[in-house]
Amino acid sequence: MTVLYLSASTDAVDASLFTKRDAVLRYIENESLDPGCIGAIGDSENDLPFLEIDGLGLVGAPANAQEHVKERVRRLPNSIVMSAEVLDGFVQFFDLALSRGIRHIVTDRDGVLIWKAGARRDIARLQRLLLQPDPPARPSISVLTGASVEQNIRFMREYALQEKTLCSNWLLEHPEIIWAENGSILIDVLTGKPRMVFPHGHTDEIRVLHGPFAANVLRRVAAEVLADFDLEYTRDPADQAGRVYVPQKETMLTLNIPHATATEVDFRRTPVADRLRSRMLAVMTEAAEAHGFTVRQV
């Protein structure tokens, strides 16, 4: 039976055919790397599969990470929980990785590099970090996210990550630094062109995921969950205030938690959002089992 990985992170509730662990292990194998030269940082539950890969040289979480994620990170070898949040925390992690000779950093996007939208003061900092590393002197960076291709293209445009004049020679030769949908799709940061690297031989599973499973989940969540929270769906990524955004994805079904509501400016960090995640996850779990998937929660 095919495994379907379910997770409830700060940003979203996901059902995925692959985990971020799969993506990092593939990268290590393809590049013939020692895991000890890799640094990894994340903030949410769905980051734990790659943060807990054996032998990583450095593992971290920003101060804003989910509490149980920080607890798990603290128990790992070569680990640190940063004193700063989001991008400030990532900069701390980057500087530590540099001092320890880490060659490559794999980082989550939302909650580590960015939080919400419109952090314009961070554009130049992100450009310097992502576009200008000069290995082996500084670690190169890959952004490993559950976000869709569409969401990542918007991220690249908002932060002007397609500016070739800012890029190091290394990046010009290795431009696929955005790993979307838990790493199942690589995006060329210079052209915005996506390349599917997973799945091979999973056509039937994708058909079920985006067919009867998705239809079942969306119908039940709307009727049994969203109505109780006075929420509704949206397909517009710019319309996530008081709405659950459902992005178009190839290997995942994602229900994004609203950024804000009429009464909460940072809804994702509230106890109400915790209850919303829990109930969505329960529906996904029942639906996955009903459609023949083996469920693993990450």
Side-chain angles (χ1 to χ4, degrees):
M1 297 176 70
T2 299
V3 174
L4 191 63
Y5 299 95
L6 306 184
S7 64
S9 67
T10 305
D11 320 314
V13 179
D14 294 306
S16 178
L17 291 170
F18 305 98
T19 71
K20 295 182 178 182
R21 179 185 181 90
D22 297 321
V24 175
L25 290 177
R26 181 192 71 236
Y27 178 75
I28 289 172
E29 179 180 3
N30 289 348
E31 300 296 323
S32 300
L33 297 175
D34 181 336
C37 73
I38 304 283
I41 181 170
D43 73 304
S44 290
E45 189 170 2
N46 66 343
D47 298 320
L48 287 170
F50 85 92
L51 297 179
E52 295 180 332
I53 291 174
D54 290 340
L56 294 178
L58 184 64
V59 179
N64 56 285
Q66 293 175 310
E67 286 303 318
H68 68 282
V69 172
K70 291 190 283 190
E71 291 171 7
R72 294 266 286 271
V73 165
R74 289 188 181 103
R75 295 198 293 265
L76 297 172
N78 305 315
S79 66
I80 184 170
V81 173
M82 315 316 299
S83 61
E85 297 189 348
V86 197
L87 185 56
D88 290 331
F90 178 79
V91 171
Q92 289 181 348
F93 183 83
F94 181 91
D95 289 343
L96 182 59
L98 176 61
S99 73
R100 294 192 182 183
I102 295 296
R103 290 175 52 196
H104 190 82
I105 294 172
V106 181
T107 176
D108 184 32
R109 192 192 74 165
D110 298 323
V112 179
L113 298 181
I114 60 174
W115 181 253
K116 297 186 178 179
R120 314 311 299 178
R121 66 184 180 86
D122 291 331
I123 289 178
R125 289 203 296 169
L126 266 177
Q127 287 177 336
R128 286 194 298 270
L129 287 166
L130 297 180
L131 303 183
Q132 297 177 331
D134 189 18
R138 300 175 66 202
S140 56
I141 301 170
S142 290
V143 181
L144 174 55
T145 173
S148 67
V149 170
E150 177 189 25
Q151 290 169 293
N152 280 293
I153 297 299
R154 290 182 70 230
F155 164 64
M156 289 160 53
R157 289 173 178 166
E158 287 173 4
Y159 289 87
L161 299 182
Q162 295 174 294
E163 182 51 69
K164 293 182 181 180
T165 60
L166 299 177
C167 294
S168 65
N169 289 331
W170 181 88
L171 185 63
L172 292 173
E173 296 173 359
H174 305 83
E176 291 182 328
I177 64 167
I178 308 291
W179 303 355
E181 293 194 27
N182 287 352
S184 62
I185 299 174
L186 306 183
I187 303 175
D188 185 317
V189 75
L190 301 179
T191 66
K193 183 178 179 180
R195 177 170 68 91
M196 178 81 74
V197 291
F198 287 127
H200 300 295
H202 287 78
T203 303
D204 290 343
E205 290 85 348
I206 287 179
R207 178 186 56 78
V208 175
L209 178 74
H210 288 302
F213 170 76
N216 188 354
V217 169
L218 293 173
R219 174 183 56 79
R220 287 190 55 193
V221 166
E224 301 171 23
V225 181
L226 299 191
D228 291 345
F229 290 82
D230 195 26
L231 296 171
E232 58 186 23
Y233 292 126
T234 180
R235 295 282 183 175
D236 180 358
D239 184 29
Q240 296 188 56
R243 291 178 173 81
V244 172
Y245 172 50
V246 185
Q248 181 68 39
K249 294 188 176 182
E250 298 292 332
T251 62
M252 302 173 65
L253 173 65
T254 292
L255 305 179
N256 274 32
I257 305 301
H259 286 296
T261 65
T263 58
E264 294 286 351
V265 296
D266 198 357
F267 177 71
R268 289 178 171 179
R269 300 193 191 189
T270 66
V272 176
D274 290 338
R275 293 195 293 273
L276 175 63
R277 291 183 193 92
S278 179
R279 290 183 59 182
M280 285 179 171
L281 188 62
V283 171
M284 274 193 177
T285 300
E286 292 177 6
E289 292 171 345
H291 290 286
F293 291 108
T294 297
V295 174
R296 284 194 192 154
Q297 292 195 11
V298 296

